[in-house]
Amino acid sequence: MTAGDAEAIEHALLDALSAGENAEIADTWGFAEAMGCPHTETVGVLISLEAEEMLKSKKLETTYFVVSAEGQRVIEEGSPEMRVLECVPVGSDGISKAGLEAALGADVVKIGLGQCMKNKWVAKGEGGVLVRGANGGDGAVEDAAKELLKKVEGGETLGDQQAKDLKRRKLVTQVTRKSFKVTRGGSYAVRRVKRQAELTKEMLASGSWKDAAFKEYNFKTLGAPCGGGNLHPLLKVRTEFRKILMFMGFEEMPTNRWVESSFWNFDSLFQPQSHPARDAHDTFFIKDPASALSFPENYLEVVKDTHETGGSTGSVGYGCEWKREEASKNLLRTHTTAVSSQMLHRIANQEGGFTPKRYFSIDRVFRNETMDATHLCEFHQVEGMIADRNLCLGDLIGVIKTFFHKIGITQIRFKPAYNPYTEPSMEIFGYHPDLKKWTEIGNSGMFRPEMLLPMGLPKDVRVIAWGLSLERPTMIKYGITNIRELFGHKADLNRTKTAPVCRFD
Ligand code: FB9
């Protein structure tokens, strides 16, 4: 549609209503036909005039019938029943069905004969031949179907029963046409006032702004999408978790090193060297550099004793030989607890001795797991830990409840569990308001004395800790059911771009 056409249609629409306050265009369909322009273009112009309240439109729905392809053939060749009748000779010798089919083809006979019987144009004669029926007198019959179809073609409206019959015979199809009744709008004028979209310096210089008409400010219009980066949903949730944990007085641990020694990832946590998680089925070991170079030697000796005999922790240890080379194996950390152990060792041996600490970590950990919709070989572990004197299980339950309350989980249950480095240990379950079910939301425990004492922490210092993933809450928050959509090459970037802000309050 050229601008010219649009303008022509615009002027025609406005002119059509210039007659008076109550002038109207009864149906844009007829109007467009009269204008000789496509109805869609008329509607296009109508909508833009309506946007400026120059016109008002009311939806119209008109249903009417058009002749179908089948119907077209009836108009050209006559209805099947008429064609059958014309093949049935007047008189008693009639014609056999086979003869009819030979003449007209099975499908015409199938439809036509049925209709002929119904109209009593044709009847069964002696021996089953087909003869003219009561209403089938020669020349007395009018091809009603054909005539009706011609009416439809001529735009005439049919009686309901007629329409129903023709529709049932698929000779016509029902069409619903959408169009509009148009009346004047609140700011109707015979011609549209060209509204200025902006105030230019030229207009200011010339003063033409004084009598110019300006477009209304459309405060609802969406601004141009500004490009720029988007935080991945995981990082949005991480930001919220960080804020919450820092608000709870926790300090973030330095987790920017994915490769750890088995010593810090397992041995310092008193995880036995025979533990199944320490073989390649569960852990990614580094080929080069395969072994860690240095350890705090005195501490390593104490760890060795503790594993072998319990050392001076009051424990019996694991009663088997502890191998330095096993502890030296480098790996991709399987949990950020590997960093917690180093931080605890550091505060146990810092200047001025032990001071109570609250630490948290949120970073990637790697486990050689079978991948499924909720598990990849890597995920982000969220861990919180408090080291202080005479802490008890109640303190752990308390801090866990505080944390999860802040992320929207208010009903929490604990189930006894086992971790090699915590005793007692508890799995954490929460009733998830969106999922409307109890779900496992994490794990926790009190670090064993066999882990803490070798580090040099005072006897009355207890360390409570808990952990969860970042992926699970993010998937729930953003309604992502398959972790592969959240992370990795299948992740839908647009979803990341349009992911709403993460709020837990
Ligand atoms: O995140 C987990 N579930 C979860 C968490 C939050 C949530 O929704 C929030 C409210 C919005 C929904 C679900 N889990 C832990 C539970 C399960 O998903 C579990 O099947 C998978 N777990 C991971 C490990 O999988 C092998 C989640 C991951 C996990 C498990 C344990 C720890 C950390 C992460 C830990 C620990 C720990 C224990 C003691 C001391 C220190 C750390």
Side-chain angles (χ1 to χ4, degrees):
M1 165 162 78
T2 66
D5 312 352
E7 193 162 62
I9 296 171
E10 174 173 317
H11 292 176
L13 281 168
L14 293 170
D15 292 346
L17 298 175
S18 59
E21 195 46 44
N22 306 326
E24 70 170 32
I25 296 169
D27 187 332
T28 49
W29 194 272
F31 174 87
E33 247 169 8
M35 275 275 307
C37 68
H39 184 250
T40 45
E41 288 173 18
T42 308
V43 172
V45 176
L46 170 62
I47 290 168
S48 76
L49 286 168
E50 190 156 23
E52 298 215 9
E53 288 153 19
M54 294 188 76
L55 299 181
K56 254 205 324 279
S57 70
K58 195 167 87 41
K59 270 198 180 51
L60 298 175
E61 277 215 351
T62 322
T63 49
Y64 58 97
F65 293 94
V66 290
V67 177
S68 68
E70 187 98 7
Q72 210 53 46
R73 225 192 351 271
V74 168
I75 289 177
E76 280 129 27
E77 303 158 3
S79 65
E81 58 271 29
M82 181 51 91
R83 294 170 64 192
V84 166
L85 179 63
E86 282 153 0
C87 292
V88 179
V90 179
S92 60
D93 22 347
I95 182 168
S96 70
K97 187 148 182 255
L100 264 184
E101 284 172 351
L104 297 170
D107 52 4
V108 173
V109 172
K110 186 160 143 307
I111 299 168
L113 190 51
Q115 202 65 33
C116 280
M117 294 301 204
K118 200 164 129 224
N119 305 351
K120 295 191 180 34
W121 290 0
V122 170
K124 279 246 179 354
E126 299 305 310
V129 290
L130 297 164
V131 294
R132 290 288 177 118
N135 308 340
D138 202 5
V141 182
E142 185 220 26
D143 189 344
K146 179 175 170 179
E147 294 319 311
L148 280 178
L149 289 169
K150 277 156 74 176
K151 277 207 186 124
V152 173
E153 203 168 39
E156 285 176 52
T157 43
L158 295 176
D160 292 1
Q161 190 49 43
Q162 295 168 327
K164 219 151 90 243
D165 288 351
L166 289 180
K167 201 170 151 199
R168 182 177 46 70
R169 297 184 60 183
K170 295 191 177 43
L171 298 178
V172 293
T173 36
Q174 183 160 9
V175 178
T176 303
R177 177 187 70 208
K178 289 191 178 17
S179 60
F180 300 88
K181 182 176 101 162
V182 184
T183 51
R184 286 186 175 193
S187 44
Y188 168 82
V190 183
R191 286 290 169 270
R192 186 199 301 248
V193 182
K194 182 106 193 58
R195 294 184 175 287
Q196 302 304 324
E198 55 194 342
L199 176 62
T200 64
K201 66 180 185 319
E202 290 74 24
M203 293 166 87
L204 290 172
S206 66
S208 65
W209 61 272
K210 288 198 191 81
D211 41 30
F214 287 91
K215 271 208 172 95
E216 300 297 315
Y217 267 108
N218 173 358
F219 294 105
K220 288 198 281 309
T221 182
L222 288 180
C226 58
N230 300 77
L231 265 187
H232 184 286
L234 267 176
L235 302 184
K236 287 183 176 170
V237 176
R238 181 181 71 177
T239 307
E240 288 307 300
F241 279 16
R242 275 194 166 139
K243 273 193 231 158
I244 289 166
L245 288 159
M246 286 193 257
F247 181 82
M248 291 169 67
F250 286 77
E251 211 179 306
E252 182 154 21
M253 292 186 260
T255 54
N256 54 346
R257 201 182 53 209
W258 296 351
V259 174
E260 282 294 356
S261 63
S262 295
F263 179 78
W264 288 113
N265 195 84
F266 291 124
D267 297 281
S268 66
L269 302 176
F270 193 58
Q271 187 148 350
Q273 295 195 332
S274 57
H275 190 283
R278 294 185 68 159
D279 66 27
H281 292 106
D282 286 3
T283 298
F284 295 109
F285 288 96
I286 306 296
K287 215 192 300 347
D288 176 24
S291 301
L293 304 172
S294 67
F295 299 102
E297 289 307 327
N298 321 350
Y299 172 47
L300 181 137
E301 285 314 312
V302 181
V303 168
K304 172 179 171 60
D305 298 348
T306 309
H307 276 249
E308 291 179 344
T309 65
S312 56
T313 62
S315 161
V316 295
Y318 295 117
C320 58
E321 190 225 352
W322 183 87
K323 300 188 195 65
R324 180 190 183 97
E325 53 285 357
E326 179 60 34
S328 315
K329 287 181 181 166
N330 282 331
L331 45 78
L332 287 180
R333 64 177 175 219
T334 61
H335 47 198
T336 54
T337 321
V339 181
S340 308
S341 57
Q342 290 169 78
M343 296 307 286
L344 288 171
H345 180 262
R346 193 180 300 179
I347 57 178
N349 302 282
Q350 68 192 355
E351 290 314 302
F354 168 79
T355 50
K357 274 286 182 186
R358 290 172 168 243
Y359 279 126
F360 80 90
S361 60
I362 306 178
D363 211 325
R364 283 189 200 198
V365 298
F366 307 85
R367 297 184 185 181
N368 189 354
E369 293 196 337
T370 40
M371 297 211 274
D372 60 23
T374 57
H375 284 86
L376 290 176
C377 288
E378 62 178 272
F379 68 89
H380 291 74
Q381 175 170 349
V382 181
E383 177 156 316
M385 120 175 135
I386 304 177
D388 202 344
R389 300 181 187 283
N390 309 316
L391 289 174
C392 68
L393 198 62
D395 297 309
L396 178 56
I397 291 172
V399 73
I400 288 172
K401 283 190 172 172
T402 308
F403 172 75
F404 279 105
H405 279 204
K406 289 181 184 299
I407 63 174
I409 304 263
T410 53
Q411 297 176 67
I412 293 187
R413 287 183 188 151
F414 295 92
K415 181 174 151 225
Y418 172 80
N419 296 315
Y421 40 87
T422 52
E423 189 56 46
S425 308
M426 308 180 292
E427 268 173 4
I428 312 165
F429 288 80
Y431 182 80
H432 206 288
D434 310 355
L435 304 180
K436 304 242 170 318
K437 66 182 175 94
W438 284 89
T439 180
E440 184 194 350
I441 57 176
N443 192 303
S444 64
M446 298 188 72
F447 286 133
R448 300 180 69 104
E450 293 96 330
M451 168 183 168
L452 303 179
L453 296 174
M455 292 172 171
L457 287 166
K459 270 198 162 329
D460 62 346
V461 168
R462 304 268 173 73
V463 182
I464 56 179
W466 81 96
L468 63 152
S469 73
L470 192 61
E471 279 72 7
R472 296 291 301 127
T474 305
M475 289 169 72
I476 294 168
K477 193 93 198 145
Y478 289 94
I480 296 166
T481 52
N482 187 321
I483 196 164
R484 294 185 187 80
E485 285 159 37
L486 177 69
F487 211 45
H489 67 286
K490 286 217 185 86
D492 157 355
L493 283 185
N494 187 41
R495 176 182 237 159
T496 300
K497 272 193 182 330
T498 56
V501 170
C502 168
R503 304 192 64 87
F504 278 112
D505 50 10

